């Protein structure tokens, strides 16, 4: 049996970071196991190629499906998750947002010392290679290239930002800076005209190190133990069962779905539950698979009365033309991500921080993650989702077969507050589209359709159309309570030599996209694993910390 000091399961956003940082120590032998392939598909690297990967089950997309949702007409929802180098950072919309400072301060208050915003900020900066001049909130020497949208061929992008201001919301220069609230162009994980995934930022540059081995097509099946001490890992590759010895630590970085599934299959979870599947319990950790949270979104949409939207590239011939322009010159519609502008807004004036996030796109979006194709008629849309849902679901097993998908039950909209937030958010979004800035372009309302006006009508429409925004977290939550799976250093309770490092450890969902926080978590935990002193906290002032400005000023 081959032996490694560190074995990382999953070459996604967190796993790629860990492979790079742990292999910086020349004396440490590191193995990273990935179930999917390398990131050779051209649509991964083409920013607009996102739409070609997210809507179908393919070699780069696990393509999970939830159980029927009781509060969404019992619909089963499509859950795309990245499979292969880069994980979901290779198939996402490349939006770089970190969340509000209060999100991380809440983690600390929940019993996780070292995870306040001041503690996390230096690791966001360590990861980042920003094109901004700001050094207080942004880093410039990290491997992850981040740039603000410079799209010039989408006139409605800035119309959307202006309409938000006309609706009474602030503007902001930087969602990841001193003021999250407001409207602005997004920042993206892009280098030049190509996606900068975690694989391209972290894993690929480290592959020439002799102490790092990266295996693809390696489906991990179970963790090996001697009592409660991890001794190795078992995986299947090209039909052959293989085992590897772990000398120091095994690190699970499979994400909020695969990591808890592997724990349960290996006997770490609620002991009574795993016994039902004929699995011998190793550690009775009742929180494994619980605390599942995700962002749920709906689309506001209007016809556009002028032929100036991105539907110019929606037809078959137009898509080919856009693709050729990108491949030959690195320019055109295919060189930009689908979502270039957005907002964080408050739906009520009494709120301290934004409770809704918006993603604007100059197309009439379908409801089904692009699987139905884009209507070639010109239109514009905004995806809205409540930033911090209160509903909690769970992940379980369908069988003891590691090749089966897990059971996914997010229990969307179980909390009444989430239903109110959805109504408030979609109404606020429509109000933005009805501002003067959109008057020259706004046609008929498409979504919600005509006739949807009352609370009951909005609720019915939301139940029929709401979809995931691809941000599942929380199934191996960090904490010190009885339902915590890992402690604040990411060590799994009840066993030795095992950590989980990915989005599953988030105790609560941050009010933003989750890729940037996942990379930060891996950067911070890599220092812990290596026994390095944590970067010094950086205390900064955010908008909510300032004294209110008098109206006369």
């Amino acid at each position: 049996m081959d032996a490694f000091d560190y074995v990382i399961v999953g070459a996604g956003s967190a796993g790629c970071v860990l492979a790079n940082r742990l292999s910086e120590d020349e004396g440490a032998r590191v193995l990273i196991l990935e179930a999917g392939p390398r990131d050779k598909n051209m649509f991964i690297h083409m920013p607009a190629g996102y739409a070609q990967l997210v809507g179908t089950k393919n070699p780069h997309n696990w393509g999970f499906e939830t159980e029927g949702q009781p509060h969404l007409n019992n619909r089963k929802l499509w859950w795309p998750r990245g499979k292969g180098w880069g994980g979901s950072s290779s198939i996402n919309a490349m939006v770089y947002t970190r969340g509000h400072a209060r999100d991380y301060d809440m983690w600390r208050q929940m019993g996780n010392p070292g995870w306040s915003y001041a503690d996390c900020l230096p690791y966001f900066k360590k990861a980042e290679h920003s094109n901004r001049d700001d050094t207080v909130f942004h880093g410039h020497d990290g491997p992850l290239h981040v740039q603000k949208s410079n799209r010039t061929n989408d006139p409605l992008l800035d119309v959307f930002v202006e309409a938000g201001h006309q609706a009474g919301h602030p503007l902001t220069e930087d969602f990841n800076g001193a003021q999250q609230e407001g409207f602005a162009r997004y920042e993206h994980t892009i280098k030049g005209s190509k996606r900068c995934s975690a694989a391209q930022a972290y894993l690929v540059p480290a592959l020439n190190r002799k102490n790092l081995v990266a295996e693809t097509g390696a489906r991990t099946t179970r963790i090996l133990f001697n009592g409660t001490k991890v001794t190795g890992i078992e995986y299947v590759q090209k039909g052959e069962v293989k085992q590897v010895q772990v000398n120091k630590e095994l690190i699970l970085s499979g994400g909020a779905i695969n990591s808890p599934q592997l724990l349960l299959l290996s006997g770490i979870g609620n002991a009574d539950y795993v016994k039902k599947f004929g699995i011998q319990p190793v550690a009775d950790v009742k929180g494994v698979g619980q605390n599942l949270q995700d962002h749920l979104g709906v689309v506001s949409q209007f016809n556009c009365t002028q032929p100036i939207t991105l539907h110019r590239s929606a037809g078959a011939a137009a898509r080919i033309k856009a693709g050729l322009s990108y491949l030959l010159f690195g320019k055109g519609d295919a060189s930009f991500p689908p979502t270039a502008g957005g907002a964080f807004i408050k739906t009520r004036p009494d709120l301290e921080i934004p409770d809704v996030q918006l993603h604007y796109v100059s197309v009439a979006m379908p409801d089904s993650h692009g699987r139905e194709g884009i209507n070639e008629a010109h239109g514009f849309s905004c995806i809205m989702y409540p930033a911090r849902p209160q509903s909690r679901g769970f992940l379980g097993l369908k069988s003891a077969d590691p090749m089966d998908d897990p059971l996914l039950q997010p229990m969307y909209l179980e909390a009444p507050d989430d239903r109110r937030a959805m109504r408030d958010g979609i109404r606020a979004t429509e109000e933005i589209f009805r501002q003067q800035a959109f008057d020259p372009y706004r046609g008929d309302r498409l979504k919600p359709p005509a006739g949807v006006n009352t609370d009951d009508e909005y609720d019915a429409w939301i139940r029929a159309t709401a979809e995931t925004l691809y941000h599942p977290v929380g199934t191996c939550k960090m904490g010190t309570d009885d339902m915590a799976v890992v402690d604040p250093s990411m060590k799994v309770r009840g066993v030795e030599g095992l950590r989980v490092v990915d989005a599953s450890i988030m105790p609560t969902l941050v009010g933003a996209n989750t890729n940037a926080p996942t990379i930060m978590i891996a950067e911070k935990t890599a220092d812990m694993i290596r026994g390095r002193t944590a970067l010094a906290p950086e205390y900064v002032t955010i908008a909510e910390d300032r004294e209110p400005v008098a109206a006369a000023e």
Side-chain angles (χ1 to χ4, degrees):
M1 188 188 302
D2 203 356
F4 291 83
D5 295 305
Y6 300 106
V7 175
I8 303 159
V9 178
S13 297
C16 289
V17 175
L18 293 167
N20 183 299
R21 296 307 188 192
L22 297 182
S23 64
E24 285 179 339
D25 295 337
E26 294 181 2
R29 194 156 185 249
V30 181
L31 170 66
I32 184 166
L33 299 171
E34 170 54 46
R38 297 182 63 170
D39 56 346
K40 291 184 176 181
N41 190 310
M42 72 172 184
F43 290 118
I44 290 175
H45 307 287
M46 178 191 298
Y50 155 87
Q52 306 299 318
L53 300 171
V54 76
T56 60
K57 192 162 188 170
N58 58 66
H60 301 283
N61 186 350
W62 287 94
F64 295 115
E65 189 176 68
T66 73
E67 298 298 295
Q69 294 305 289
H71 305 290
L72 296 178
N73 297 345
N74 208 37
R75 289 186 294 130
K76 294 183 177 182
L77 270 59
W78 175 253
W79 267 24
R81 304 308 302 157
K83 183 179 182 182
W85 281 8
S88 293
S89 76
S90 287
I91 69 168
N92 68 5
M94 292 149 279
V95 175
Y96 180 88
T97 56
R98 300 173 178 172
H100 197 280
R102 299 282 177 86
D103 290 321
Y104 302 97
D105 290 343
M106 179 61 70
W107 290 4
R108 178 196 58 194
Q109 292 172 22
M110 294 174 72
N112 297 292
W115 289 95
S116 71
Y117 182 67
D119 295 306
C120 294
L121 179 57
Y123 286 99
F124 277 119
K125 293 168 67 174
K126 180 180 180 180
E128 187 183 24
H129 187 117
S130 174
N131 63 350
R132 291 179 177 271
D133 293 332
D134 176 14
T135 59
V136 175
F137 289 93
H138 293 279
H140 301 87
D141 301 316
L144 186 68
H145 284 253
V146 177
Q147 61 188 44
K148 192 168 183 176
S149 173
N150 60 356
R151 187 161 205 157
T152 58
N153 61 349
D154 183 2
L156 292 186
L157 175 56
D158 292 327
V159 170
F160 170 74
V161 174
E162 175 58 25
H165 194 43
Q166 290 176 356
H169 302 286
L171 303 178
T172 183
E173 288 296 317
D174 184 0
F175 292 132
N176 303 305
Q179 178 185 313
Q180 185 196 52
E181 183 185 6
F183 282 67
R185 289 179 174 234
Y186 272 130
E187 290 180 288
H188 297 108
T189 48
I190 288 180
K191 183 178 181 181
S193 61
K194 292 184 178 181
R195 175 194 297 271
C196 186
S197 67
Q200 290 298 307
Y202 286 93
L203 181 58
V204 172
L207 290 176
N208 60 349
R209 297 174 186 164
K210 295 180 180 180
N211 62 329
L212 174 63
V213 176
E215 295 286 354
T216 56
R219 183 75 174 265
T220 307
T221 54
R222 66 185 176 111
I223 303 167
L224 306 178
F225 291 95
N226 180 4
T228 58
K229 178 178 174 58
V230 171
T231 59
I233 192 78
E234 181 178 277
Y235 64 98
V236 176
Q237 188 179 48
K238 296 180 179 179
E240 181 182 353
V241 178
K242 300 180 178 180
Q243 293 185 346
V244 170
Q245 180 179 317
V246 177
N247 291 335
K248 290 186 177 179
E249 291 194 28
L250 174 66
I251 306 158
L252 305 190
S253 295
I257 299 175
N258 297 80
S259 287
Q261 182 189 21
L262 183 57
L263 289 176
L264 292 171
L265 289 169
S266 303
I268 302 174
N270 185 308
D272 292 335
Y273 180 77
V274 299
K275 286 178 183 177
K276 294 178 181 179
F277 297 91
I279 298 169
Q280 181 64 36
V282 173
D284 187 15
V285 185
K286 291 182 169 53
V288 175
Q290 303 300 307
N291 192 47
L292 177 59
Q293 303 160 53
D294 186 28
H295 284 137
L296 185 73
V298 287
V299 176
S300 179
Q301 186 177 105
F302 285 81
N303 274 325
C304 185
T305 58
Q306 298 186 35
I308 59 172
T309 73
L310 303 183
H311 287 272
R312 60 177 174 253
S313 296
R319 288 199 303 271
I320 293 172
K321 181 180 178 181
L324 287 173
S325 177
Y326 175 78
L327 293 173
L328 293 174
F329 309 109
K331 297 181 179 180
D333 285 343
S335 64
F336 296 101
T339 303
F344 292 87
I345 66 173
K346 299 174 184 174
T347 59
R348 303 194 313 273
D350 59 311
L351 296 173
E352 289 191 358
I353 63 177
D355 65 324
V356 160
Q357 184 175 358
L358 307 178
H359 290 300
Y360 172 77
V361 58
S362 292
V363 294
M365 295 180 60
D367 291 325
S368 57
H369 311 276
R371 286 180 286 173
E372 296 176 357
I374 294 175
N375 187 333
E376 293 187 30
H378 286 271
F380 48 85
S381 311
C382 192
I383 310 169
M384 181 286 305
Y385 54 90
R388 296 169 191 84
Q390 299 304 302
S391 300
R392 298 291 184 268
F394 61 89
L395 174 149
L397 298 177
K398 291 180 180 178
S399 77
D401 184 348
M403 301 303 169
D404 281 351
D405 287 349
L407 184 150
L408 302 173
Q409 180 48 278
M411 293 301 295
Y412 291 119
L413 301 186
E414 183 181 38
D417 282 352
D418 291 350
R419 301 172 212 168
R420 176 200 53 77
M422 292 288 279
R423 289 194 302 269
D424 291 349
I426 196 64
R427 283 176 164 141
T429 308
E430 183 175 337
E431 181 183 5
I432 292 158
F433 277 153
R434 292 196 180 279
Q435 295 304 308
Q436 182 180 359
F438 272 108
D439 284 352
Y441 314 103
R442 185 180 56 251
D444 294 335
R445 186 179 82 169
L446 301 177
K447 296 177 183 178
V452 175
N453 297 296
T454 67
D455 282 359
D456 287 345
E457 290 164 346
Y458 270 101
D459 283 346
W461 175 74
I462 290 166
R463 287 195 298 270
T465 66
E467 295 278 358
T468 177
L469 263 294
Y470 323 125
H471 300 155
V473 306
T475 47
C476 298
K477 80 165 188 171
M478 165 177 61
T480 55
D481 62 280
D482 290 342
M483 293 301 289
V485 177
V486 300
D487 67 16
S489 65
M490 305 304 135
K491 293 179 180 178
V492 177
R493 298 172 59 197
V495 296
E496 183 181 348
L498 179 62
R499 299 192 207 222
V500 177
V501 184
D502 54 33
S504 71
I505 67 88
M506 296 184 189
T508 55
L509 184 55
V510 298
N513 305 73
T514 52
N515 185 241
T518 300
I519 290 172
M520 177 277 295
I521 288 166
E523 282 277 18
K524 195 172 191 307
T525 309
D527 274 358
M528 298 180 189
I529 296 170
R530 297 170 69 183
R532 306 178 80 184
T533 301
L535 298 178
E538 297 184 17
Y539 298 94
V540 295
T541 300
I542 60 171
E544 287 74 22
D545 296 333
R546 302 176 190 144
E547 291 295 326
V549 178
E553 297 178 21

